[in-house]
């Protein structure tokens, strides 16, 4: 294997997040505007063949974990074809998908058959009206049947991502956790981050992990933090002392995990980003389309990682600058 991807702060990168589209079939207010979104024209989007070539170049540098995301990845036609290309690549130890679940009922079986084993389904509430007001679509029943279909198709590792927005989702927390505990699905609360397209984010609108822990303890009894199995994983995990199960938190705002970051990102239009919040990005589509060799692509990946900053300074209001692209166009 070539030299691993270590940046100037000593962080080794083994995790690549691949966005396959900037389009989405719903409109979560903390990510997308209600209307008027201008999506990338199709020729700008990397083909599955181009994505697979990029992954093949990245894997010898030590990339072991791949996650497919978007926009909504399941709106990309024949996504199972990409899964079938990536799952068998030697060196890939983990391949996962993040989805809003709306189209999952139709695709769970084919994704599983193509080699996908891990899913994160994004769901903030079990209340149909609240789902509609958060996502501006009436698709809760489809998401729930998507989760059922995924479990029937054989997915054993399903997690639910819920975005933690203060003065909004508090009534949803206990029902969601209960739903997860009943189904063996871990709920992960993600602190609301300043990546929405409309600039709605304010620190005061973040529901912090500590507040959710308090809320859950009132309902279910004490929670205990699980010492990190993988210190570089972004989630902090807790278990219920009554043995009921666990719950996770991605505390990007209250406990940023930049110093353990192991991730790079490929956007759907072929830009390489060393951070979700990066201001600069490196074009790789041009390289892929000009027939660059694997080692030329590797050099560009190395240079991007070498340029990686220490962290996003989300808690330093004087220094923090929100990236020019919102979440859906970067790939969450
Ligand atoms: N459409 C898919 C979905 O919703 O899961 C994949 C892409 S989405 C951008 C990836 C994740 O980003 C989602 O699971 C959602 O929970 C999270 N997300 C979106 N906007 C966010 C924000 N402003 N702050 C924190 N998390 C956010
Ligand atoms: Fe779509 Fe995911 Fe963004 Fe919601 S969070 S609008 S589902 S891309």
């Amino acid at each position: 294997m070539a030299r691993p991807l270590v940046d100037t702060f000593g962080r080794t990168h083994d995790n690549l997040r691949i966005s396959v589209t900037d389009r989405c079939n719903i409109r979560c207010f903390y990510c997308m505007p209600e209307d008027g979104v201008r999506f990338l024209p199709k020729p700008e989007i990397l083909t599955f063949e181009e994505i697979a070539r990029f992954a093949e170049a990245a894997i010898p540098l030590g990339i072991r974990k791949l996650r497919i995301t978007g926009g909504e990845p399941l709106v990309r036609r024949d996504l199972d074809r990409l899964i079938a290309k990536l799952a068998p690549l030697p060196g890939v130890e983990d391949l996962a998908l993040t989805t809003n679940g709306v189209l999952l009922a139709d695709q769970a079986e084919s994704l599983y058959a193509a080699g996908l084993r891990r899913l994160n389904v994004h769901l903030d509430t079990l209340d149909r009206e609240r789902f509609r007001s958060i996502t501006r679509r009436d698709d809760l029943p489809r998401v729930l049947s998507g989760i059922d279909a995924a479990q029937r198709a054989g997915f054993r590792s399903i997690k639910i991502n819920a975005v933690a927005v203060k003065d909004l989702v508090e009534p949803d927390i206990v029902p969601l956790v209960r739903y997860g505990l009943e189904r063996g699905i871990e709920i992960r609360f993600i602190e609301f981050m300043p990546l929405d397209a409309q600039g709605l984010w304010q620190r005061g609108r973040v529901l912090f992990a500590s507040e959710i822990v308090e809320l859950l303890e009132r309902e279910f009894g004490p929670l205990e933090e699980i010492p990190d199995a993988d210190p570089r994983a972004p989630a902090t995990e807790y278990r219920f002392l009554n043995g009921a199960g666990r719950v996770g938190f991605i505390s990007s705002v209250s406990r940023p995990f930049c110093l353990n970051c192991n991730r790079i990102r490929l956007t759907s239009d072929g830009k390489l980003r060393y951070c979700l919040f990066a201001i600069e990005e490196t074009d790789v589509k041009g390289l892929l389309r000009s027939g660059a060799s694997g080692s030329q692509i590797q050099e560009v990946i190395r240079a991007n990682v070498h340029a990686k900053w220490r962290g996003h300074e989300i808690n330093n209001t004087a220094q923090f600058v929100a990236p020019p692209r919102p979440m859906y166009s970067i790939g969450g």
Side-chain angles (χ1 to χ4, degrees):
M1 193 180 87
R3 273 178 300 124
L5 276 175
V6 183
D7 71 5
T8 57
F9 299 94
R11 296 171 293 198
T12 302
H13 293 71
D14 63 359
N15 189 317
L16 169 65
R17 299 178 76 106
I18 299 170
S19 172
V20 293
T21 182
D22 60 341
R23 287 167 200 258
C24 189
N25 43 0
I26 62 177
R27 293 285 181 277
C28 308
F29 76 90
Y30 43 68
C31 179
M32 277 194 168
E34 183 154 14
D35 41 39
V37 195
R38 293 187 52 181
F39 295 113
L40 290 160
K42 203 165 167 220
E44 297 297 320
I45 302 288
L46 294 184
T47 64
F48 290 160
E49 288 65 31
E50 289 165 343
I51 292 172
R53 269 182 53 222
F54 182 85
E56 278 166 339
I59 289 164
L61 302 181
I63 295 295
R64 295 282 167 267
K65 298 180 175 191
L66 303 178
R67 176 173 295 275
I68 308 300
T69 181
E72 172 46 38
L74 300 190
V75 302
R76 178 95 186 241
R77 194 177 307 158
D78 301 329
L79 188 71
D80 56 327
R81 259 201 334 108
L82 178 65
I83 299 294
K85 281 180 187 297
L86 298 179
L89 290 179
V92 174
E93 290 168 9
D94 184 39
L95 174 62
L97 170 83
T98 302
T99 170
N100 63 30
V102 174
L103 298 175
L104 193 54
D106 296 336
Q107 299 187 32
E109 273 187 25
S110 59
L111 291 167
Y112 191 88
L116 187 69
R117 293 293 177 269
R118 289 213 309 118
L119 278 176
N120 284 55
V121 180
H122 168 201
L123 176 63
D124 301 322
T125 177
L126 296 172
D127 179 278
R128 191 161 176 172
E129 187 46 40
R130 294 166 62 69
F131 183 97
R132 206 189 52 71
S133 77
I134 292 172
T135 66
R136 295 129 164 176
R137 298 288 185 277
D138 185 23
D139 282 329
L140 177 65
R142 298 178 79 189
V143 178
L144 296 178
S145 51
I147 294 171
D148 289 344
Q151 292 200 303
R152 274 198 310 277
F155 285 97
R156 298 279 167 264
S157 177
I158 302 180
K159 293 193 171 108
I160 285 180
N161 293 350
V163 180
V165 184
K166 204 183 186 83
D167 297 330
L168 180 73
V169 301
E170 288 85 343
D172 299 308
I173 285 169
V174 167
L176 260 185
V177 168
R178 191 160 276 138
Y179 170 88
L181 293 175
E182 280 164 15
R183 286 168 181 74
I185 294 174
E186 182 181 320
I187 313 292
R188 290 188 151 185
F189 294 99
I190 308 178
E191 289 177 350
F192 180 24
M193 293 186 272
L195 288 165
D196 60 291
Q198 294 167 289
L200 301 173
W201 187 87
Q202 290 172 356
R203 218 186 143 74
R205 295 229 59 195
V206 183
L207 182 62
F208 292 118
S210 55
E211 300 173 274
I212 302 178
V213 168
E214 265 179 41
L215 222 148
L216 289 174
E217 288 190 323
R218 277 204 294 276
E219 183 71 22
F220 297 100
L223 275 164
E224 174 186 64
E225 188 171 336
I226 304 174
D228 254 348
D230 175 1
R232 298 188 315 152
T236 312
E237 311 259 356
Y238 285 72
R239 67 168 81 91
F240 292 99
L241 282 187
N242 65 8
R246 47 167 70 191
V247 61
F249 298 92
I250 306 206
S251 315
S252 330
V253 181
S254 63
R255 243 163 107 171
F257 34 85
C258 302
L259 292 180
N260 289 324
C261 181
N262 61 351
R263 283 173 292 282
I264 54 175
R265 294 164 187 273
L266 182 65
T267 66
S268 59
D269 57 340
K271 311 287 184 212
L272 184 59
R273 299 173 63 85
Y274 54 64
C275 176
L276 187 52
F277 293 90
I279 306 296
E280 41 187 56
E281 46 189 27
T282 309
D283 180 63
V284 291
K285 182 171 58 191
L287 273 181
L288 289 162
R289 292 193 176 169
S290 65
S293 65
S295 58
Q296 285 170 311
I297 298 167
Q298 289 174 346
E299 280 320 302
V300 170
I301 300 175
R302 275 198 193 290
N304 186 272
V305 169
H306 187 77
K308 181 160 175 155
W309 60 16
R310 194 180 145 84
H312 50 58
E313 302 282 353
I314 205 169
N315 282 318
N316 183 341
T317 26
Q319 286 198 19
F320 178 73
V321 182
R325 285 172 173 239
M327 189 69 133
Y328 69 87
S329 115
I330 297 170

